[in-house]
Protein backbone atom coordinates (compact mmCIF):
# COMPACT_ATOMS: atom_id res chain seq x y z
CA UNK A 1 0.00 0.00 0.00
CA UNK A 2 1.48 3.27 -1.08
CA UNK A 3 1.51 6.12 1.40
CA UNK A 4 -0.85 8.88 0.32
CA UNK A 5 1.49 11.58 1.52
CA UNK A 6 4.91 10.26 2.50
CA UNK A 7 6.43 13.72 2.89
CA UNK A 8 3.98 14.66 5.63
CA UNK A 9 4.63 11.28 7.27
CA UNK A 10 8.32 12.13 7.48
CA UNK A 11 7.59 15.63 8.71
CA UNK A 12 5.26 14.26 11.39
CA UNK A 13 8.32 12.87 13.15
CA UNK A 14 9.26 16.15 14.77
CA UNK A 15 12.47 16.92 16.59
CA UNK A 16 12.74 19.51 19.40
CA UNK A 17 16.38 20.21 18.60
CA UNK A 18 19.20 18.83 16.50
CA UNK A 19 20.87 15.89 18.28
CA UNK A 20 24.54 16.13 19.22
CA UNK A 21 26.84 13.72 17.30
CA UNK A 22 27.02 11.23 20.17
CA UNK A 23 23.23 11.30 20.52
CA UNK A 24 22.85 10.68 16.81
CA UNK A 25 25.18 7.68 17.21
CA UNK A 26 22.70 6.15 19.67
CA UNK A 27 19.87 6.69 17.18
CA UNK A 28 21.85 5.08 14.35
CA UNK A 29 22.78 2.08 16.47
CA UNK A 30 19.20 1.43 17.63
CA UNK A 31 17.69 1.75 14.15
CA UNK A 32 20.16 -0.79 12.82
CA UNK A 33 19.30 -3.18 15.68
CA UNK A 34 15.56 -2.85 15.00
CA UNK A 35 16.15 -3.83 11.37
CA UNK A 36 18.45 -6.66 12.50
CA UNK A 37 15.65 -8.02 14.73
CA UNK A 38 13.25 -7.93 11.78
CA UNK A 39 15.80 -9.73 9.63
CA UNK A 40 16.28 -12.42 12.28
CA UNK A 41 12.57 -12.97 12.91
CA UNK A 42 11.02 -12.62 9.45
CA UNK A 43 13.97 -13.20 7.12
CA UNK A 44 13.67 -9.66 5.78
CA UNK A 45 16.51 -8.72 3.46
CA UNK A 46 17.68 -5.62 1.64
CA UNK A 47 15.22 -6.22 -1.21
CA UNK A 48 12.25 -5.99 1.16
CA UNK A 49 13.67 -2.82 2.72
CA UNK A 50 14.13 -1.19 -0.68
CA UNK A 51 10.61 -2.24 -1.68
CA UNK A 52 9.31 -0.59 1.50
CA UNK A 53 11.21 2.58 0.56
CA UNK A 54 9.53 2.53 -2.86
CA UNK A 55 6.09 1.96 -1.34
CA UNK A 56 6.58 4.83 1.08
CA UNK A 57 7.97 7.19 -1.57
CA UNK A 58 11.40 7.35 0.04
CA UNK A 59 13.57 6.31 -2.90
CA UNK A 60 15.25 9.72 -3.00
CA UNK A 61 16.91 8.88 0.32
CA UNK A 62 17.17 5.13 -0.26
CA UNK A 63 17.51 4.48 -4.00
CA UNK A 64 19.52 1.23 -4.03
CA UNK A 65 21.38 -1.45 -2.08
CA UNK A 66 24.53 0.64 -1.82
CA UNK A 67 22.66 3.52 -0.20
CA UNK A 68 20.96 1.11 2.20
CA UNK A 69 24.26 -0.54 3.10
CA UNK A 70 25.89 2.83 3.72
CA UNK A 71 23.03 3.93 5.98
CA UNK A 72 23.24 0.77 8.06
CA UNK A 73 27.02 1.01 8.19
CA UNK A 74 26.52 4.38 9.90
CA UNK A 75 25.86 2.36 13.07
CA UNK A 76 28.99 3.00 15.19
CA UNK A 77 28.75 -0.55 16.60
CA UNK A 78 29.31 -2.07 13.16
CA UNK A 79 32.60 -3.65 12.16
CA UNK A 80 34.02 -1.21 9.66
CA UNK A 81 37.22 -0.79 7.71
CA UNK A 82 36.37 2.55 6.20
CA UNK A 83 34.98 5.94 7.03
CA UNK A 84 31.40 5.78 8.24
CA UNK A 85 28.63 7.66 6.51
CA UNK A 86 26.97 10.36 8.57
CA UNK A 87 23.26 9.71 9.09
CA UNK A 88 21.21 12.89 8.93
CA UNK A 89 17.87 13.39 10.63
CA UNK A 90 15.82 12.94 7.45
CA UNK A 91 17.55 9.62 6.76
CA UNK A 92 16.81 8.55 10.33
CA UNK A 93 13.15 9.45 9.79
CA UNK A 94 13.10 7.39 6.59
CA UNK A 95 14.52 4.35 8.38
CA UNK A 96 11.90 4.76 11.12
CA UNK A 97 9.08 4.69 8.56
CA UNK A 98 10.59 1.70 6.75
CA UNK A 99 11.12 -0.24 9.99
CA UNK A 100 7.54 0.33 11.15
CA UNK A 101 6.17 -0.48 7.70
CA UNK A 102 8.01 -3.81 7.67
CA UNK A 103 6.95 -4.55 11.26
CA UNK A 104 3.33 -3.94 10.25
CA UNK A 105 3.67 -6.31 7.31
CA UNK A 106 4.87 -9.03 9.68
CA UNK A 107 2.67 -8.13 12.64
CA UNK A 108 1.03 -11.57 12.81
CA UNK A 109 4.41 -13.28 13.09
CA UNK A 110 5.57 -10.78 15.71
CA UNK A 111 2.38 -11.31 17.73
CA UNK A 112 2.85 -15.08 17.57
CA UNK A 113 6.44 -14.80 18.76
CA UNK A 114 5.55 -12.47 21.64
CA UNK A 115 2.65 -14.73 22.67
CA UNK A 116 5.04 -17.68 22.70
CA UNK A 117 7.50 -15.69 24.81
CA UNK A 118 4.75 -14.91 27.33
CA UNK A 119 3.70 -18.57 27.39
CA UNK A 120 7.26 -19.81 27.94
CA UNK A 121 7.79 -17.23 30.68
CA UNK A 122 4.59 -18.31 32.48
CA UNK A 123 5.68 -21.94 32.27
CA UNK A 124 9.17 -21.12 33.53
CA UNK A 125 10.78 -22.48 30.37
CA UNK A 126 13.68 -21.03 28.40
CA UNK A 127 12.47 -19.14 25.29
CA UNK A 128 14.78 -21.04 22.94
CA UNK A 129 12.83 -24.25 23.65
CA UNK A 130 10.08 -22.90 21.37
CA UNK A 131 11.18 -23.40 17.76
CA UNK A 132 10.13 -19.95 16.52
CA UNK A 133 11.92 -18.17 19.35
CA UNK A 134 14.93 -20.48 19.23
CA UNK A 135 15.45 -19.84 15.52
CA UNK A 136 15.02 -16.09 16.05
CA UNK A 137 17.52 -16.00 18.92
CA UNK A 138 20.08 -18.05 16.97
CA UNK A 139 19.82 -15.87 13.87
CA UNK A 140 19.93 -12.65 15.90
CA UNK A 141 22.99 -13.74 17.87
CA UNK A 142 24.87 -15.05 14.83
CA UNK A 143 24.15 -11.97 12.73
CA UNK A 144 25.02 -9.61 15.58
CA UNK A 145 28.38 -11.27 16.16
CA UNK A 146 29.06 -11.35 12.42
CA UNK A 147 28.39 -7.64 11.90
CA UNK A 148 29.05 -5.83 15.17
CA UNK A 149 32.12 -5.04 17.20
CA UNK A 150 31.95 -7.21 20.31
CA UNK A 151 33.80 -7.27 23.63
CA UNK A 152 33.69 -9.21 26.86
CA UNK A 153 30.48 -7.45 27.93
CA UNK A 154 28.54 -8.89 24.96
CA UNK A 155 27.72 -12.30 26.38
CA UNK A 156 25.16 -14.81 25.05
CA UNK A 157 22.87 -13.78 27.90
CA UNK A 158 23.23 -10.12 26.93
CA UNK A 159 22.38 -10.89 23.30
CA UNK A 160 19.36 -12.98 24.29
CA UNK A 161 18.00 -10.17 26.48
CA UNK A 162 18.59 -7.63 23.70
CA UNK A 163 16.88 -9.82 21.10
CA UNK A 164 13.82 -10.42 23.28
CA UNK A 165 13.55 -6.73 24.20
CA UNK A 166 13.66 -5.82 20.50
CA UNK A 167 11.04 -8.48 19.74
CA UNK A 168 8.60 -6.92 22.23
CA UNK A 169 9.41 -3.44 20.92
CA UNK A 170 8.60 -4.60 17.37
CA UNK A 171 5.05 -5.37 18.49
CA UNK A 172 4.59 -1.73 19.47
CA UNK A 173 6.26 -0.47 16.29
CA UNK A 174 3.91 -2.59 14.16
CA UNK A 175 0.76 -0.76 15.28
CA UNK A 176 -0.93 2.30 13.76
CA UNK A 177 1.25 4.62 15.85
CA UNK A 178 4.36 2.53 15.24
CA UNK A 179 6.49 5.20 13.53
CA UNK A 180 5.72 7.70 16.29
CA UNK A 181 6.49 5.15 19.03
CA UNK A 182 9.82 4.24 17.42
CA UNK A 183 10.71 7.88 16.88
CA UNK A 184 9.98 8.74 20.54
CA UNK A 185 12.05 5.73 21.61
CA UNK A 186 14.95 7.07 19.56
CA UNK A 187 14.57 10.54 21.07
CA UNK A 188 14.73 9.00 24.54
CA UNK A 189 18.00 7.36 23.57
CA UNK A 190 19.28 10.65 22.20
CA UNK A 191 18.47 12.57 25.37
CA UNK A 192 21.55 13.68 27.29
CA UNK A 193 22.03 11.92 30.64
CA UNK A 194 20.55 13.71 33.63
CA UNK A 195 23.30 15.34 35.63
CA UNK A 196 23.58 14.16 39.21
CA UNK A 197 24.14 17.13 41.53
CA UNK A 198 25.66 17.15 44.98
CA UNK A 199 22.14 17.71 46.39
CA UNK A 200 20.91 14.58 44.58
CA UNK A 201 23.77 12.56 46.04
CA UNK A 202 23.07 13.72 49.58
CA UNK A 203 19.31 13.12 49.42
Amino acid sequence: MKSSNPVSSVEALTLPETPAPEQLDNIKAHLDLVLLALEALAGIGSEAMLQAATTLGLTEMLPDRVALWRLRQANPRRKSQGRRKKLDVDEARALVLISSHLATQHQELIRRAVALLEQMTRQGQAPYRAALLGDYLDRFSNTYQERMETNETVTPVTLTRLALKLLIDLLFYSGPSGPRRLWLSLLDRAAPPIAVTSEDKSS
Side-chain angles (χ1 to χ4, degrees), residues 124-144:
Q125 297 188 52
Y128 68 82
R129 295 178 67 87
L132 176 61
L133 294 175
D135 290 345
Y136 165 67
L137 291 172
D138 283 346
R139 283 195 291 266
F140 183 90
S141 179
N142 291 339
T143 308
Y144 186 99

Side-chain angles (χ1 to χ4, degrees), residues 62-78:
L62 208 61
D64 52 36
R65 289 174 184 270
V66 175
L68 174 62
W69 179 83
R70 291 183 67 206
L71 280 185
R72 298 195 66 185
Q73 280 293 118
N75 176 3
R77 297 181 189 173
R78 284 257 189 168

Side-chain angles (χ1 to χ4, degrees), residues 21-140:
E22 62 272 19
Q23 295 167 337
L24 201 51
D25 279 349
N26 289 335
I27 290 176
K28 291 184 288 189
H30 188 64
L31 278 172
D32 194 31
L33 288 175
V34 169
L35 286 171
L36 194 157
L38 277 166
E39 286 182 71
L41 180 66
I44 290 171
S46 57
E47 194 59 40
M49 296 175 196
L50 292 173
Q51 181 57 52
T54 301
T55 302
L56 295 167
L58 299 170
T59 51
E60 185 175 341
M61 281 177 273
L62 208 61
D64 52 36
R65 289 174 184 270
V66 175
L68 174 62
W69 179 83
R70 291 183 67 206
L71 280 185
R72 298 195 66 185
Q73 280 293 118
N75 176 3
R77 297 181 189 173
R78 284 257 189 168
K79 294 175 181 174
S80 175
Q81 297 179 342
R83 187 177 178 183
R84 296 188 188 282
K85 182 190 184 304
K86 293 181 179 178
L87 181 77
D88 65 32
V89 173
D90 283 339
E91 289 168 335
R93 289 186 176 111
L95 286 181
V96 164
L97 293 176
I98 289 168
S99 300
S100 292
H101 178 80
L102 292 171
T104 302
Q105 285 187 324
H106 296 275
Q107 189 181 56
E108 183 179 341
L109 177 62
I110 295 168
R111 284 186 180 279
R112 185 149 42 96
V114 172
L116 264 177
L117 176 60
E118 291 174 342
Q119 178 185 330
M120 300 301 281
T121 302
R122 282 197 304 271
Q123 295 175 351
Q125 297 188 52
Y128 68 82
R129 295 178 67 87
L132 176 61
L133 294 175
D135 290 345
Y136 165 67
L137 291 172
D138 283 346
R139 283 195 291 266
F140 183 90

